[in-house]
């Protein structure tokens, strides 16, 4: 009872700042857009049918899933050695190393992206060095396209991947790796046959979480894509602020939300299965 | 290799842990003949597990050498040492079945695919688990997991079997049975083995040789009877078995004079000076009123009963004597004298001069 009372302020804020706007958003998605582009109050699913009937929407969904899926996978693959190293470190260093791994989260995401632009841009560090060495004549395009977005996204997802992996690997008994070694397995075979299979649920959990974060990312595709990369999040922005088609923007936001909820449920199932196996 | 050369030899092993002032293992040397079972016995933190882990190659000694069958293995990584290790937590691979766990070791040893299955099953049969081959570790009881771990370690026909507190995770009722099974198996296969324990009964019951360890050093390396009956140091006398402590001065002729005025005969050849003597409770006889001490029992003490603890088979009598508090343990069934005694009753206790284990006072 007291617990509910104490949770009241947080619940109030959630209700006011999240659930209420969300309900409004849903309401707007049911409005009608007239031929002139004005919004007319109504209760209709027109915006949804219009979006789902549009091939461009499906292309956006494909783009979004492809981008987030690959970025999340690369982020998790790169986070695994980091997490394994942190786990193997002595307890004195573990905390510090874990902090270092998630340190990027302490810097504003926008600032980090500007940093990437300075590195990947046409006049950026990599291109300047490549031309100076003589490997290329013209700059290699690494921003304002999918590559740039993928790099930026992957970098921003890695700290989360490390965090989830650390939590998952914490339950992996290092004695198992020692046992494999005493039975004659070298480090590589121990990794392939013991560490990796046991880390699989943690890898999946990390991938699903970073996938969700990647799908909902807006700043990264917007800044690193330079207007040439189209995903759901950027399209919602365009619909709302450039086309000023609020019902369509709201409907697309609701579709995105539905997809994300499905993914989170999937992640919950993975966690539940993990719990049952342990 | 000649028969007399040891199968396992540790030479001056040293290992420090970061941040600790004293070494965890401090110049340990010992020899173990082929086919023998060595128990590393000591309190927690005495360096016994560190020693075992260094033998397995899971930790590196800072100095010293480890030789197996005359070959220096000090620099070898664990996967090249060919030693079977049973971990305290068993460390079974949770994603593999029992037979998969055993076969994994065979595969890593390069045993041909067709041979692995039968050999893994044979190893499981050896530990009486042939019916549990397809079970995952979590579907097995603690005792069964322990046997799978043992089968997995033995299946690779190791040069050395290493067991880290193999019984500590089992409940007390299982422990004795598994203990005797491990011993029987080790003797049948003729495997040279080292096991770590803090339980003296386990060490005495299983081992051919016991190394009593304290503060990173081996206090005594000897057969179980020797350890118990002729402890080499004060630490061994107090750590292995229980004993009453008697303080006093040793005088000429091996007479121990206590502050309470008792003069006890000992077999000690120590120089005169302050000493501490230890007396095992089961060595002390209770005399009937007026009964003369049996021949050979040179020491007789007048005592008053302080406390009586009856545990069924054994009755412990705690008595105040001129030599301090001494405990006598009697077989409750065969020796009926104690039944008349109540706290405060006068009584007489007798023991041999050789029963007093005398050490210089610390």
């Amino acid at each position: 009872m007291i617990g509910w009372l104490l949770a009241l302020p947080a619940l109030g804020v959630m209700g006011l700042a999240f659930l209420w706007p969300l309900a409004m958003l849903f309401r707007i998605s049911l409005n009608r857009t007239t031929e002139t582009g004005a919004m007319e109050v109504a209760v209709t699913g027109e915006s949804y049918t219009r979006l789902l009937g549009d091939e461009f929407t499906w292309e956006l969904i494909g783009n979004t899933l492809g981008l987030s899926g690959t970025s999340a996978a690369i982020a998790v693959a790169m986070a695994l050695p980091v997490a394994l190293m942190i786990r193997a470190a002595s307890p004195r260093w573990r905390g510090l190393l874990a902090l270092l791994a998630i340190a990027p989260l302490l810097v504003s995401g926008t600032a980090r992206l500007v940093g990437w632009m300075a590195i990947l841009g046409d006049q950026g560090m990599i291109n300047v060095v490549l031309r100076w060495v003589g490997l290329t004549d013209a700059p290699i395009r690494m921003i304002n396209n999918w590559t740039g977005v993928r790099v930026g996204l992957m970098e921003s997802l890695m700290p989360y991947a490390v965090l989830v992996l650390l939590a998952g690997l914490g339950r992996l008994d290092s004695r198992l790796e020692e046992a494999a070694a005493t039975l004659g397995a070298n480090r590589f075979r121990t990794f392939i046959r013991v560490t990796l299979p046991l880390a699989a649920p943690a890898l999946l959990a990390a991938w699903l979480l970073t996938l969700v974060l990647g799908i909902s990312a807006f700043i990264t595709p917007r800044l690193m894509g330079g207007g040439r990369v189209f995903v759901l999040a950027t399209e919602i922005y365009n619909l709302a602020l450039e086309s000023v088609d609020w019902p369509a923007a709201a409907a697309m936001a609701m579709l995105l939300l539905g997809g994300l909820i499905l993914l989170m449920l999937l992640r919950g199932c993975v966690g539940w299965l993990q719990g049952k196996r342990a | 290799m000649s028969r007399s050369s040891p199968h396992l030899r540790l030479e001056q092993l040293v290992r420090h842990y970061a941040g600790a002032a004293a070494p965890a293992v401090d110049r340990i040397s010992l020899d173990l003949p082929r086919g023998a079972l060595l128990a590393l016995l000591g309190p927690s933190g005495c360096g016994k597990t560190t020693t075992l882990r260094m033998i397995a190659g899971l930790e590196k000694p800072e100095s010293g050498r480890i030789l197996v069958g005359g070959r220096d293995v000090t620099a070898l990584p664990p996967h090249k040492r060919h030693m079977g290790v049973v971990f305290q937590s068993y460390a079974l691979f949770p994603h593999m079945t029992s037979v998969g766990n055993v076969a994994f070791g065979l595969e890593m040893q390069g045993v041909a695919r067709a041979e692995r299955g039968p050999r893994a099953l044979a190893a499981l049969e050896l530990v009486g688990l042939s019916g549990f081959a397809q079970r995952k570790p979590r579907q097995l009881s603690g005792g069964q997991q322990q046997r799978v771990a043992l089968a997995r370690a033995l299946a690779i026909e190791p040069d050395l079997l290493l067991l880290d507190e193999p019984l500590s995770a089992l409940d007390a009722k299982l422990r004795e049975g598994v203990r005797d099974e491990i011993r029987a198996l080790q003797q049948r296969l003729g495997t040279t083995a080292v096991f770590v324990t803090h339980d003296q009964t386990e060490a005495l019951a299983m081992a051919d040789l016991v190394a009593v360890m304290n503060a990173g050093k081996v206090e005594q390396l000897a057969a179980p009877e020797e350890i118990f009956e002729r402890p080499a140091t004060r630490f061994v006398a107090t750590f292995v078995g229980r004993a009453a402590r008697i303080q006093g001065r040793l005088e000429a002729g091996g007479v121990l004079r206590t502050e309470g005025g008792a003069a006890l005969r000992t077999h000690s050849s120590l120089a005169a000076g302050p000493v501490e003597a230890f007396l095992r409770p089961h060595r002390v006889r209770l005399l009937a009123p007026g009964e003369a001490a049996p021949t050979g029992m040179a020491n007789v003490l007048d005592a008053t009963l302080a406390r009586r603890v009856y545990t069924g088979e054994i009755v412990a009598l705690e008595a105040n004597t001129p030599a301090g508090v001494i405990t006598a343990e009697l077989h409750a069934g065969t020796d009926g004298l104690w039944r008349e005694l109540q706290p405060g009753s006068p009584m007489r206790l007798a023991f041999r001069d050789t029963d007093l284990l005398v050490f210089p006072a610390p």
Side-chain angles (χ1 to χ4, degrees):
Chain A
M1 195 54 217
I2 290 273
W4 279 100
L5 280 176
L6 290 176
L8 222 59
L11 289 174
V13 169
M14 277 278 280
L16 276 175
F18 181 66
L19 288 177
W20 176 243
L22 201 63
M24 298 261 291
L25 198 67
F26 180 61
R27 180 66 194 82
I28 292 172
S29 76
L30 299 177
N31 286 343
R32 177 177 295 128
T33 310
T34 59
E35 306 258 324
T36 58
M39 185 169 80
E40 188 183 288
V41 175
V43 180
T44 167
E46 268 174 34
S47 297
Y48 289 94
T49 46
R50 184 154 51 96
L51 283 178
L52 292 173
D54 188 346
E55 253 176 57
F56 183 57
T57 307
W58 293 102
E59 194 189 321
L60 284 174
I61 292 174
N63 281 351
T64 308
L65 284 177
L67 172 74
S68 323
T70 51
S71 305
I74 299 171
V76 171
M78 289 181 43
L80 180 62
V82 178
L84 287 173
M85 191 190 79
I86 293 174
R87 185 179 73 112
S90 68
R92 305 170 59 180
W93 288 102
R94 213 171 287 154
L96 186 68
L97 288 172
L99 190 69
L100 276 178
I102 60 167
L105 296 179
L106 304 176
V107 181
S108 138
T110 317
R112 275 186 287 151
L113 291 176
V114 171
W116 276 115
M117 288 175 182
I119 294 171
L120 302 175
D122 289 357
Q123 300 302 322
M125 202 174 75
I126 294 179
N127 272 316
V128 168
V129 170
L130 283 177
R131 260 173 297 165
W132 183 70
V133 176
L135 280 170
T136 55
D137 298 325
I140 298 173
R141 303 226 63 170
M142 285 178 290
I143 59 167
N144 299 336
N145 58 10
W146 287 101
T147 313
V149 176
R150 201 163 276 135
V151 169
L153 204 52
M154 191 206 71
E155 191 261 355
S156 68
L157 294 179
M158 244 183 78
Y160 298 102
V162 171
L163 274 182
V164 176
L165 286 180
L166 275 180
L169 295 177
R171 279 183 285 180
L172 204 160
D173 185 359
S174 61
R175 292 277 184 272
L176 294 175
E177 284 151 336
E178 291 186 352
T182 62
L183 290 166
N186 59 27
R187 277 165 182 255
F188 178 71
R189 296 176 93 178
T190 301
F191 179 76
I192 296 293
R193 297 289 303 276
V194 177
T195 314
L196 207 53
L198 292 173
L203 290 170
L204 187 59
W207 183 72
L208 280 170
L209 177 77
T210 49
L211 178 70
V212 166
L213 292 173
I215 289 173
S216 52
F218 168 70
I219 305 273
T220 308
R222 177 92 184 158
L223 289 186
M224 298 297 284
R228 291 187 187 85
V229 166
F230 302 100
V231 290
L232 288 170
T234 55
E235 184 59 17
I236 293 170
Y237 180 86
N238 287 341
L239 283 172
L241 294 174
E242 280 161 29
S243 315
V244 203
D245 185 348
W246 282 21
M252 189 168 277
M254 294 314 293
L255 288 176
L256 179 58
L257 183 68
L260 291 178
I261 288 174
L262 265 178
L263 278 172
M264 291 311 283
L265 285 177
L266 193 63
R267 185 163 170 265
C269 285
V270 170
W272 181 75
L273 278 177
Q274 245 175 301
K276 238 182 94 160
R277 259 181 54 150
Chain B
M1 189 179 63
S2 71
R3 260 187 64 83
S4 60
S5 77
H7 183 64
L8 171 70
R9 164 168 274 180
L10 306 184
E11 281 179 4
Q12 299 284 316
L13 283 184
V14 176
R15 176 81 163 97
H16 283 82
Y17 281 119
V25 171
D26 190 3
R27 281 163 293 162
I28 281 189
S29 298
L30 57 83
D31 284 354
L32 185 65
R34 176 175 291 275
L37 179 70
L38 167 73
L40 297 175
L41 172 67
S44 58
C46 72
K48 56 193 194 295
T49 295
T50 306
T51 305
L52 193 85
R53 289 173 61 81
M54 285 195 289
I55 299 173
L58 298 170
E59 275 179 48
K60 285 207 186 324
E62 277 140 49
S63 60
R65 296 202 303 161
I66 300 163
L67 291 96
V68 177
R71 194 168 67 113
D72 187 344
V73 301
T74 319
L76 285 184
H79 68 272
K80 290 187 179 157
R81 291 205 185 186
H82 201 62
M83 293 178 186
V85 182
V86 176
F87 290 84
Q88 187 171 3
S89 56
Y90 314 139
L92 295 178
F93 306 125
H95 57 305
M96 300 181 196
T97 58
S98 309
V99 69
N101 264 279
V102 181
F104 177 84
L106 295 172
E107 182 188 343
M108 294 304 136
Q109 296 294 328
V111 174
R113 184 180 290 269
E115 241 182 279
R116 275 178 228 154
R119 271 182 65 179
L121 285 173
L124 283 177
E125 201 177 327
L126 202 64
V127 296
L129 277 184
S130 37
F132 297 83
Q134 298 308 326
R135 297 261 187 109
K136 290 272 181 74
R138 67 172 179 281
Q139 298 166 315
L140 298 171
S141 71
Q144 290 165 337
Q145 290 184 32
Q146 215 270 355
R147 287 160 197 240
V148 175
L150 189 62
R152 184 176 70 175
L154 286 172
I156 63 171
E157 291 171 4
D159 291 337
L160 206 56
L161 177 65
L162 305 173
L163 307 117
D164 186 7
E165 305 253 7
L167 306 173
S168 64
L170 299 177
D171 57 78
K173 290 207 168 180
L174 268 174
R175 219 171 280 172
E176 234 171 277
V178 177
R179 178 187 85 192
D180 296 342
E181 273 178 56
I182 293 178
R183 174 59 164 163
L185 208 54
Q186 177 264 335
Q187 283 183 318
R188 184 143 64 90
L189 301 172
T191 314
T192 315
V194 179
F195 90 102
V196 159
T197 181
H198 62 268
D199 183 326
Q200 41 150 326
T201 317
E202 236 170 78
L204 297 178
M206 278 174 83
D208 298 298
L209 276 172
V210 178
V212 181
M213 291 182 64
N214 183 35
K217 287 187 157 70
V218 173
E219 295 264 341
Q220 188 175 8
L221 173 67
E225 304 92 275
E226 179 93 10
I227 294 276
F228 191 81
E229 285 162 25
R230 286 179 292 282
T233 67
R234 190 177 166 276
F235 177 82
V236 178
T238 51
F239 186 75
V240 182
R242 287 156 306 127
R245 193 174 64 153
I246 300 168
Q247 285 171 300
R249 276 190 71 83
L250 196 65
E251 295 176 347
V255 173
L256 169 61
R257 196 167 296 275
T258 68
E259 272 180 32
L264 303 171
R265 285 177 192 280
T266 74
H267 235 241
S268 173
S269 52
L270 287 174
V275 293
E276 248 180 22
F278 296 92
L279 178 62
R280 304 258 189 239
H282 72 281
R283 292 289 191 173
V284 182
R285 271 277 305 268
L286 173 65
L287 299 182
E291 180 190 348
T295 43
M297 292 223 171
N299 292 311
V300 178
L301 282 173
D302 287 318
T304 321
L305 184 66
R307 214 156 68 94
R308 198 174 87 173
V309 182
Y310 173 76
T311 54
E313 289 163 36
I314 300 281
V315 60
L317 305 175
E318 222 175 85
N320 293 315
T321 76
V325 178
I326 285 178
T327 307
E329 276 185 4
L330 317 170
H331 288 281
T334 49
D335 196 338
L337 279 175
W338 61 272
R339 291 181 197 274
E340 338 248 287
L341 298 174
Q342 294 302 325
S345 304
M347 57 200 264
R348 286 192 310 143
L349 301 173
F351 47 91
R352 292 167 196 277
D353 53 358
T354 48
D355 291 335
L356 282 170
L357 310 165
V358 186
F359 299 96

